[in-house]
Amino acid sequence: CCRDIFKECSILLRFDNEARRIFRLAIPFTISELVETVSEIVVLGIISHQLGTDALSAFAVFETLLEITTEFSGGVVDAITTLASQAYGAGNNMLVGQYVQLCSITYFLFQIPFILMWSFATFDIMLFMGFDENIAQMAKVYARWAVWRETVLGVTEVYYSMLEVVEKEVEVAVIGNIEALFELGAIAIAIYLF
């Protein structure tokens, strides 16, 4: 009985073509996720060191709230993977392009109320949550930049999803690394200038 189980497991764990394909994708995606995570940790360290723990708390709270509201629009981004996969599998590249355009525009339109809300209500929301006026002002200034960053990231996610569907996964991982490093640099510069 144990011999049969071991034999079946060894068949499953055999390093075949499918395993090679998985590792060819897993390695760049893992590196990309590590770069993005380290970048986010460095941003937190820079904010804490340069602006203090109150600013770090406000940043973390605001980013969490922004991410929650962005997720309402995120379903549109997620839809592209399914729709584009079906169209690409059917050989209808024009339909893939139409889905990308439609999802990008729809995502942007869904983001408009959140852009307005965070651009004009962040100060009051942060005061309501118990932060002082100085921190609320910092959050307001940051919010006006961050809502647009999230909108651009959402639209680019539509294009990344399409590229993954058309077998350009490694390129997406490289672009993701560049994006994470660029965002880290932009936030660091903004903090030092602030």
Side-chain angles (χ1 to χ4, degrees), residues 12-29:
L12 288 174
L13 296 175
R14 187 177 52 216
F15 199 74
D16 58 0
N17 285 337
E18 295 306 315
R20 284 184 185 89
R21 289 182 70 198
I22 289 171
F23 279 108
R24 265 195 309 249
L25 293 177
I27 291 170
F29 283 147

Side-chain angles (χ1 to χ4, degrees), residues 72-191:
F72 285 114
S73 306
V76 175
V77 175
D78 294 337
I80 186 69
T81 304
T82 301
L83 296 172
S85 296
Q86 293 170 353
Y88 185 72
N92 193 343
N93 293 340
M94 184 167 178
L95 187 56
V96 172
Q98 288 176 331
Y99 285 145
V100 168
Q101 291 172 352
L102 183 61
C103 287
S104 298
I105 292 167
T106 305
Y107 177 81
F108 180 76
L109 292 175
F110 280 13
Q111 280 294 101
I112 289 173
F114 299 123
I115 291 169
L116 295 173
M117 180 183 79
W118 289 120
S119 293
F120 298 107
T122 300
F123 184 81
D124 294 328
I125 291 170
M126 297 306 277
L127 288 177
F128 177 76
M129 296 181 81
F131 292 100
D132 66 31
E133 287 190 21
N134 185 38
I135 298 297
Q137 182 63 31
M138 281 195 272
K140 181 177 105 176
V141 171
Y142 175 70
R144 291 192 173 153
W145 174 79
V147 293
W148 288 104
R149 180 202 69 208
E150 284 299 317
T151 303
V152 169
L153 289 177
V155 171
T156 58
E157 189 64 34
V158 170
Y159 289 94
Y160 293 167
S161 297
M162 184 266 307
L163 289 171
E164 288 175 358
V165 166
V166 298
E167 301 176 32
K168 300 291 184 190
E169 299 90 350
V170 174
E171 290 84 347
V172 169
V174 170
I175 292 169
N177 288 336
I178 293 168
E179 175 188 301
L181 294 173
F182 179 77
E183 184 177 352
L184 169 66
I187 289 176
I189 289 169
I191 288 171

